[in-house]
Amino acid sequence: MPAQSILSSDPIAALATPPGQSALGIVRMSGDGVWTLAAHACGHKSIPESWAPRTAQVVTIRDSDGDVLDEGVLLPWKGPHSSTGEDLVEFIGHGSPAALTLVLERFLALGARPAKPGEFTRRGFINGKLTLDQAESVASLIDAKTGAAARSSLRVLMGGLKTQLQMIEESLQDALGLVELELDFAEEEIPIFNRDRFVADVAELLDQLERLSQHARASKYLRNGIHVVIAGETNAGKSTLFNQWLGQERAIVSATPGTTRDYLDAAVDWNGIPVRLVDTAGLRLTEEAIEKEGIRRAQALLEQADVLLWLVSPPDFVLPDERYVTDERLLLIRNKADVGVLTPETLSAKVTAAISATTGDGLDDLQARIVQRLMGGTNYEESLGLEQRHARHLNEAAEALGRSSTLASANASEELIAVEIRAALDALSEITGRIAGDDVLNRIFGRFCIGK
Amino acid sequence: MVDVVVIGGGHAGVEAAAAASRAGASVVLVTRERAALARLSCNPAMGGTAKGQLVKEIDALGGLMGIATDRSAIQYRMLNRSKGPAVWSPRAQTDRDLYTQAIDTLFYERYPDVEIVEDEATGFAVNGDTLTGVRLANVGVLACKTAILCSGTFMRGLTHTGTVQNQSGRFGEPPANHISADLERLGYPLLRFKTGTPPRVYRDSIDLSVMEQQDSEDESWYFSHETTQRYNPQLPCYRAYTVPEAHDGIRARIDESPMYNGTIQSTGPRYCPSIEDKVMRFPDRDRHPLIFEPEGLNNPLMYVNGFSSSMPEEVQLASLRTVPGCEIVRFARPGYAVEYDVVPPHELRATLSTRRIPGLYLAGQINGTSGYEEAAIQGLIAGTNAALTVKGRDPFILRRDEAYGGVLVDDLVTTHPTEPYRMFTSRAEFRLLLRQDNAEERLHEKAFRAGLIPEERYESIRARLDDKSSWIKRLETLKFRRGDLVARDRKPDQLESAAQLLRRPEISLSALLELGNGALPERPDPALLYAIETELRYAGYLDRERRQVEKLRSQEEKRVPDDFDYDIVKALSAEGRQKLETHRPATVGQASRIAGVTPSDLALLVVFLRDRERVAARKQSA
């Protein structure tokens, strides 16, 4: 079979809503001749005259024998004025998976081909309906598990990130301008590159980058969820805490099948942030206690965790294994605070929060602390929908800037400082798009009287 | 039939003729006046930041400029010496008559086969888009396979001093008007650019004793690999400053400046502003520096650097006379501005051949650049490519990570100049790799392959490089006691390799060699020592730049066919499409450097190129 050209606009079709029961479901079709295809699916010989772009039609989808498959609303779009830039139809039907699948199969039988993952977005991009970073955002928007994540992806679509990064780029260009001035106009009477001022400016920029990185971290948690592992000795109150959090949120509990009942796993929602809760005993590895397979699985869970909650409770206040005591993700939680036993003095300083899993006291506070710890001061409702790719470039930029500041303080020569500023700008331009090289010279000529 | 006809005997023209000849072509150089070969039209100096590096590259490619500069140098200074070696930039004051003589002698001694014809080119003979000859005013059509046009400021040259206008390409010399008309006939678009020059004054009419003297530096180094000594006595320059009264005089009559009253519409270079520009644009500055440069050893004139002007002569004179030491200054000639025709460089390929008529090459100011050095490297590149094309060989293209010359040509073909283009080190993203000390190392392979340098020189460069790398290897393993080199070190007994120690700016290779006498019996010569030291000092950064170069290589090597139909890429932004169609980038890397081409445009281009390849591959397998 010849490879499909990426540029072809043959008709493609797919379910646009996730499988599963819901009130409404959408089947989408894009490409050449999809209006005719849809008309045929509705039992018409040709496109009815009443169909006009962006006007809803009440239609009945029928099979080849004329039997009704589903009733619903058909929205036809005419390219290039559609999200894919091609002719497009959206059928909004009842949310029954079975009915929607029949409609999709009908479209396919009439000549559409099943769309590959992301193909609608890709066509949108190739036809100029979306830019590259917008296309990325659409993918995360679709991926977004919760409302907060969806809103933050929308913010990137609106260009919010760009504005902030462009301000940082501006400052860097200014700094670079001064450095280049020293290098390229060696014979001119020019102000000396002020290293103290530069170091101070960089500190400021690093703060801004850190705030954006925090957004990136927050956005990672918004998208992928926070992975919280609850652990502790038997009877420390793990299951009680687990159930308390579940009870509040009415989440679905799934017990993992297997020979060992080694952990429990549930998805809950903390004010819009998806959270995966895991109840395991795996932090204390006594040799006889757990079978090998259980250990392996518990280990894997621990590796993925964003937070490890270790419950300590009377009478024994048992601590986790030595190697977890120093783990940055570990939070020691004093449970059974309602029981009138004082936390031992050696422990009390290390305990992050005191709760009662039974009564629910202190749980809200603990939740808030976890969110604060991971997502920092960012208002996650405002958080920019940053990609992990963005986070990586932000980090590269911050590292390069850190080095530039060290060089400036160490009295290193300007051309090395310039290397680092350029590296930072390059990293940022991976997010915002390339800036023309003349910018630096433009700045120099705009501000200084150069040239003999 | 001649292989290559070079039109114009300026810095681009002489390098073009010499390079084409070295690369094995038969060459005719057409100039109106042999005595004016490679004339220094503006200041009597060569090199400077980034420009000095260009001269070194020209020398590494077997060109003339480095040798001629050394033979005429009357002052040497290494700019940026207080900074890192990557930005050290050699500069020389030159005797303008000796420079022209040196070039003339080089042709006489080394290029006897280059025929120098005194005539004026008036147009081209073409058959379709094939060049068949160059039309000369006296001789008629000179049949040739390729031609290189290096017209400098002569095409429709128009000089201005106040309201006095002259049809002239350079002070007192007639313009070349026919060739402009002929280029238009052939469909080339033309732009107007402007540049300027300061007055020349009589040395005996100024009191240099009240000015700050700038002497040649003591340290001996040269522009050319073949120079072993200074040829001439050294002369100082003198620094002075304008005073507020000088500015007042200019401000009072600013509407007589052709730049300010609208007579000159074209924009001049911002890096070389006229004195009236400086006064008007930076009103808060109460003084501007001036440097009085000698025009030559026995030349009675001085060049007033910093005082470029197109004001009326009496305004220039009155203003300059307010400067201490210049009270009775006399002009040999006033400053003036010159407007001239430029072909927008998007007409060019990276070989400097034009897309419209591939046999016609352009080099120098006609491509919108300024500066002797910028012109010369273009001439060298164009001449080499013209010769290689005639011989049916691969083109000679320098990469951005390889030479300032590569940066220059790439910038030309990817940008739309709004002012004359001057080289700066900040234009080179791989500045640490493009040093004045390693031009031969960077370029000897390509130079030899194109026939630009003889085998003996190539072998001697190779031998030197082997020497260098074996030194570096030794220094990477040779250990020293830290306490012997680092003052107040906390671990004086710890051993560290010489390479490691050299990353500390305070430790020099000579110091190491002193200490390591037993293990290192011989010593490298000063130039090699400097090269080794630089390589080791910068090691970490150089590695980073080299990795970066590698990372970009795939983009740089991904070719875009010259006939690529951008219309099929419907989603290109309007600006991106227009820019891509105008510049017709040869590679995706070039496309990425065109202003107005967005990352989305670039991604689209890559998608479509890949699709085109896939379709082609499918056709082949079918």
Side-chain angles (χ1 to χ4, degrees):
Chain A
M1 199 179 79
Q4 192 66 51
S5 163
I6 334 180
L7 309 174
S8 59
S9 52
D10 59 323
I12 51 170
L15 288 176
T17 42
Q21 290 284 348
S22 57
L24 294 171
I26 301 175
V27 184
R28 262 208 304 188
M29 209 167 22
S30 176
D32 299 337
V34 294
W35 281 39
T36 312
L37 265 172
H40 290 167
C42 298
H44 304 295
K45 286 219 166 57
S46 59
I47 302 165
E49 276 185 17
S50 58
W51 287 16
R54 295 190 240 191
T55 52
Q57 314 292 327
V58 178
V59 296
T60 309
I61 307 285
R62 296 168 191 279
D63 68 12
S64 54
D65 298 328
D67 291 336
V68 174
L69 298 177
D70 198 4
E71 283 180 331
V73 173
L74 190 86
L75 260 178
W77 309 73
K78 207 69 189 149
H81 307 291
S82 72
S83 60
T84 57
E86 305 171 329
D87 285 358
L88 177 82
V89 293
E90 287 177 352
F91 172 75
I92 303 152
H94 299 107
S96 134
L100 286 173
T101 306
L102 287 174
V103 171
L104 175 61
E105 279 173 359
R106 180 72 183 130
F107 286 171
L108 298 179
L110 285 165
R113 128 180 109 69
K116 293 183 208 124
E119 201 169 2
F120 282 93
T121 310
R122 194 170 62 199
R123 288 187 175 191
F125 167 64
I126 285 175
N127 292 319
K129 309 307 287 187
L130 293 164
T131 65
L132 204 54
D133 50 343
Q134 284 172 340
E136 261 176 347
S137 280
V138 170
S140 356
L141 192 59
I142 294 164
D143 265 357
K145 292 196 173 69
T146 64
R151 280 192 294 282
S152 83
S153 282
L154 271 175
R155 219 155 277 126
V156 168
L157 275 174
M158 311 292 278
L161 169 66
K162 248 189 174 143
T163 320
Q164 288 200 38
L165 285 177
Q166 273 164 355
M167 276 157 59
I168 297 178
E169 281 180 331
E170 289 268 321
S171 316
L172 284 180
Q173 294 272 349
D174 277 342
L176 185 59
L178 288 171
V179 174
E180 296 293 0
L181 187 61
E182 285 247 328
L183 294 173
D184 265 336
F185 299 90
E187 288 186 287
E188 307 282 344
E189 278 200 333
I190 43 160
I192 306 297
F193 168 58
N194 185 326
R195 286 166 187 262
D196 294 337
R197 160 91 63 81
F198 175 74
V199 169
D201 287 350
V202 167
E204 171 95 1
L205 292 175
L206 282 174
D207 272 355
Q208 291 179 34
L209 282 176
E210 172 54 27
R211 277 198 291 282
L212 282 174
S213 294
Q214 228 165 52
H215 278 299
R217 281 197 292 277
S219 130
K220 175 187 148 202
Y221 294 123
L222 280 177
R223 201 166 292 141
N224 304 336
I226 300 177
H227 191 155
V228 179
V229 169
I230 307 171
E233 273 300 276
T234 323
N235 293 328
K238 300 183 303 269
S239 300
T240 320
L241 175 61
F242 186 79
N243 288 326
Q244 184 69 255
W245 261 330
L246 291 199
Q248 285 174 5
E249 304 295 342
R250 296 184 202 183
I252 307 156
V253 185
S254 66
T256 315
T259 48
T260 328
R261 180 208 156 277
D262 44 17
Y263 68 88
L264 280 172
D265 189 339
V268 296
D269 181 310
W270 289 354
N271 301 326
I273 304 163
V275 175
R276 182 178 173 201
L277 276 184
V278 176
D279 169 6
T280 177
L283 286 202
R284 194 175 165 80
L285 308 174
T286 52
E287 278 175 26
E288 77 279 13
I290 310 166
E291 58 160 300
K292 274 199 179 136
E293 176 62 12
I295 296 176
R296 204 189 54 74
R297 276 194 226 175
Q299 288 289 336
L301 276 174
L302 291 177
E303 289 307 314
Q304 294 162 16
D306 298 311
V307 186
L308 302 175
L309 298 182
W310 180 266
L311 302 190
V312 287
S313 59
D316 300 329
F317 294 100
V318 181
L319 286 176
D321 247 32
E322 191 58 35
R323 62 180 166 143
Y324 287 112
V325 174
T326 53
D327 195 312
E328 282 186 0
R329 298 169 301 167
L330 186 89
L331 295 181
L332 277 187
I333 307 300
R334 160 73 157 96
N335 192 16
K336 304 186 187 173
D338 53 325
V339 178
V341 179
L342 285 178
T343 313
E345 236 168 75
T346 48
L347 260 184
S348 57
K350 299 175 190 158
V351 165
T352 304
I355 59 164
S356 166
T358 320
T359 63
D361 279 350
L363 286 199
D364 286 349
D365 182 48
L366 178 57
Q367 254 183 35
R369 271 167 197 258
I370 293 172
V371 171
Q372 162 72 25
R373 184 185 167 88
L374 295 179
M375 300 175 52
T378 51
N379 176 355
Y380 58 84
E381 280 288 315
E382 291 286 303
S383 173
L384 298 158
L386 287 157
E387 298 299 316
Q388 291 320 295
R389 182 179 74 81
H390 296 157
R392 201 177 65 239
H393 295 312
L394 288 175
N395 198 31
E396 284 166 7
E399 279 174 7
L401 275 189
R403 288 192 299 266
S404 75
S405 170
T406 313
L407 285 168
S409 318
N411 234 12
S413 174
E414 282 84 354
E415 76 277 11
L416 300 182
I417 300 171
V419 167
E420 302 296 1
I421 302 178
R422 281 171 190 272
L425 277 167
D426 280 350
L428 295 181
S429 74
E430 293 280 334
I431 308 175
T432 57
R434 201 180 168 281
I435 5 103
D438 247 9
D439 278 10
V440 173
L441 289 169
N442 284 336
R443 258 152 229 270
I444 292 176
F445 296 131
R447 285 169 60 188
F448 300 100
C449 182
I450 293 301
K452 291 177 303 184
Chain B
M1 194 186 325
V2 184
D3 291 337
V4 182
V5 172
V6 178
I7 303 163
H11 303 284
V14 297
E15 295 291 352
S21 174
R22 288 199 298 284
S26 60
V27 182
V28 171
L29 172 62
V30 180
T31 174
R32 278 203 295 225
E33 194 190 349
R34 177 161 186 161
L37 226 47
R39 179 170 281 175
L40 306 175
S41 313
C42 200
N43 67 333
M46 280 292 168
T49 48
K51 290 164 170 275
Q53 282 88 328
L54 277 172
V55 181
K56 291 283 196 147
E57 289 177 3
I58 291 163
D59 190 65
L61 294 168
L64 315 173
M65 186 170 258
I67 307 167
T69 301
D70 283 332
R71 290 191 182 176
S72 58
I74 51 175
Q75 182 188 100
Y76 282 95
R77 284 201 303 138
M78 186 66 82
L79 305 183
N80 272 339
R81 214 183 250 292
S82 66
K83 316 221 184 305
V87 289
W88 285 23
S89 300
R91 185 182 190 278
Q93 293 296 143
T94 51
D95 177 306
R96 66 170 65 253
D97 301 322
L98 290 179
Y99 191 89
T100 294
Q101 262 174 43
I103 294 287
D104 192 74
T105 309
L106 284 169
F107 271 97
Y108 180 75
E109 289 172 354
R110 302 187 188 180
Y111 298 92
D113 294 340
V114 173
E115 195 185 338
I116 300 178
V117 173
E118 288 193 329
D119 205 335
E120 183 189 342
T122 55
F124 302 95
V126 293
N127 183 2
D129 64 357
T130 307
L131 182 84
T132 58
V134 173
R135 229 178 279 282
L136 300 182
N138 299 332
V139 198
V141 172
L142 179 61
C144 63
K145 295 176 184 157
T146 61
I148 305 171
L149 178 56
C150 314
S151 54
T153 57
F154 280 81
M155 287 199 327
R156 287 193 189 132
L158 183 66
T159 61
H160 301 259
T161 303
T163 52
V164 182
Q165 294 180 14
N166 274 306
Q167 288 214 6
S168 168
R170 186 161 55 194
F171 191 83
E173 297 176 50
N177 293 339
H178 301 294
I179 205 100
S180 284
D182 204 52
L183 286 176
E184 279 176 337
R185 174 183 70 90
L186 295 170
Y188 289 91
L190 296 176
L191 307 172
R192 290 293 269 176
F193 268 21
K194 172 254 165 191
T195 188
T197 194
R200 311 298 196 273
V201 302
Y202 288 99
R203 187 186 188 98
D204 63 9
S205 70
I206 34 183
D207 180 4
L208 295 169
S209 69
V210 301
M211 300 178 186
E212 184 190 321
Q213 184 169 330
Q214 279 182 350
D215 287 311
S216 187
E217 69 177 34
D218 292 334
E219 198 145 334
S220 286
W221 48 263
Y222 311 103
F223 282 89
S224 174
H225 70 286
E226 65 176 57
T227 308
T228 52
Q229 55 165 44
R230 288 185 179 179
Y231 286 87
N232 305 301
Q234 304 291 293
L235 288 184
C237 295
Y238 299 86
R239 181 182 272 265
Y241 294 95
T242 59
V243 291
E245 296 80 70
H247 304 178
D248 294 342
I250 288 169
R251 224 175 273 123
R253 295 182 62 178
I254 192 66
D255 51 354
E256 289 170 66
S257 156
M259 289 298 289
Y260 278 84
N261 65 18
T263 313
I264 298 180
Q265 296 286 332
S266 29
T267 44
R270 288 174 300 173
Y271 46 81
C272 201
S274 59
I275 187 70
E276 50 267 33
D277 249 353
K278 289 192 258 193
V279 167
M280 298 309 285
R281 286 188 49 217
F282 298 94
D284 50 327
R285 297 266 306 238
D286 56 4
R287 64 175 204 177
H288 294 283
L290 302 177
I291 297 180
F292 290 80
E293 302 180 0
E295 293 257 292
L297 286 175
N298 301 306
N299 197 310
L301 304 184
M302 294 196 98
Y303 173 96
V304 191
N305 199 334
F307 205 78
S308 169
S309 180
S310 59
M311 297 291 286
E313 181 170 353
E314 72 270 20
V315 178
Q316 294 182 30
L317 188 64
S319 174
L320 196 57
R321 281 188 169 169
T322 61
V323 174
C326 297
E327 293 81 1
I328 55 161
V329 67
R330 281 177 298 120
F331 281 5
R333 85 166 92 116
Y336 64 88
V338 58
E339 287 184 284
Y340 53 99
D341 282 347
V342 161
V343 175
H346 59 68
E347 292 287 323
L348 300 169
R349 292 199 179 94
T351 56
L352 298 183
S353 124
T354 58
R355 209 170 276 116
R356 225 168 271 275
I357 298 170
L360 177 57
Y361 293 69
L362 308 177
Q365 277 167 303
I366 189 171
N367 291 335
T369 62
S370 98
Y372 310 143
E373 304 83 354
E374 288 86 343
I377 190 80
Q378 288 175 71
L380 195 152
I381 291 168
T384 308
N385 277 305
L388 293 175
T389 305
V390 169
K391 295 169 143 283
R393 294 180 51 199
D394 284 345
F396 173 77
I397 290 171
L398 301 174
R399 296 191 314 265
R400 295 184 73 90
D401 58 287
E402 192 164 64
Y404 274 97
V407 174
L408 188 148
V409 172
D410 190 72
D411 279 351
L412 285 185
V413 301
T414 55
T415 53
H416 187 80
T418 52
E419 67 179 326
Y421 176 101
R422 188 202 135 157
M423 187 46 78
F424 293 104
T425 71
S426 58
R427 296 196 195 269
E429 59 274 53
F430 304 112
R431 175 161 54 197
L432 304 188
L433 295 177
L434 307 185
R435 304 189 305 274
Q436 56 91 23
D437 63 273
N438 69 351
E440 285 191 327
E441 179 171 351
R442 291 184 267 129
L443 298 171
H444 70 288
E445 285 293 346
K446 280 191 177 172
F448 180 57
R449 236 180 298 141
L452 294 175
I453 57 170
E455 185 159 7
E456 315 85 77
R457 182 171 176 204
Y458 174 73
E459 291 302 342
S460 93
I461 295 171
R462 289 286 301 262
R464 221 176 145 72
L465 289 177
D466 287 346
D467 211 13
K468 179 177 157 192
S469 49
S470 74
W471 268 101
I472 288 177
K473 250 188 223 112
R474 264 188 287 177
L475 292 168
E476 274 165 352
T477 49
L478 188 68
K479 303 256 161 88
F480 289 86
R481 231 186 111 256
R482 275 181 29 167
D484 293 342
L485 290 143
V486 184
R488 294 187 304 276
D489 193 54
R490 267 184 292 166
K491 294 177 187 160
D493 287 324
Q494 192 160 320
L495 294 177
E496 210 165 285
S497 77
Q500 201 66 40
L501 284 163
L502 280 172
R503 295 196 183 189
R504 297 162 183 268
E506 72 275 16
I507 295 179
S508 73
L509 182 52
S510 332
L512 286 179
L513 293 173
E514 290 293 328
L515 270 176
N517 249 349
L520 302 164
E522 77 281 40
R523 304 204 42 172
D525 66 71
L528 185 57
L529 183 124
Y530 174 78
I532 296 165
E533 194 176 69
T534 303
E535 192 74 27
L536 290 173
R537 279 207 200 294
Y538 270 134
Y541 286 92
L542 294 175
D543 285 349
R544 248 170 80 184
E545 289 204 342
R546 289 189 184 112
R547 278 201 301 274
Q548 186 72 14
V549 170
E550 279 310 310
K551 217 175 99 186
L552 294 173
R553 183 146 294 171
S554 66
Q555 230 185 32
E556 294 304 324
E557 285 172 358
K558 178 106 195 143
R559 302 202 61 83
V560 186
D562 204 42
D563 62 350
F564 186 78
D565 179 10
Y566 291 99
D567 277 344
I568 62 168
V569 194
K570 297 240 159 27
L572 287 176
S573 64
E575 190 189 2
R577 175 191 316 282
Q578 189 244 321
K579 291 290 172 62
L580 287 166
E581 275 172 350
T582 308
H583 292 278
R584 300 224 146 254
T587 61
V588 171
Q590 266 180 15
S592 75
R593 288 186 286 276
I594 300 173
V597 175
T598 66
S600 279
D601 292 335
L602 218 54
L604 285 163
L605 182 61
V606 171
V607 166
F608 276 71
L609 286 171
R610 210 178 293 150
D611 192 63
R612 193 179 147 120
E613 272 166 24
R614 213 179 297 171
V615 171
R618 221 165 11 195
K619 268 194 196 137
Q620 206 153 39
S621 68

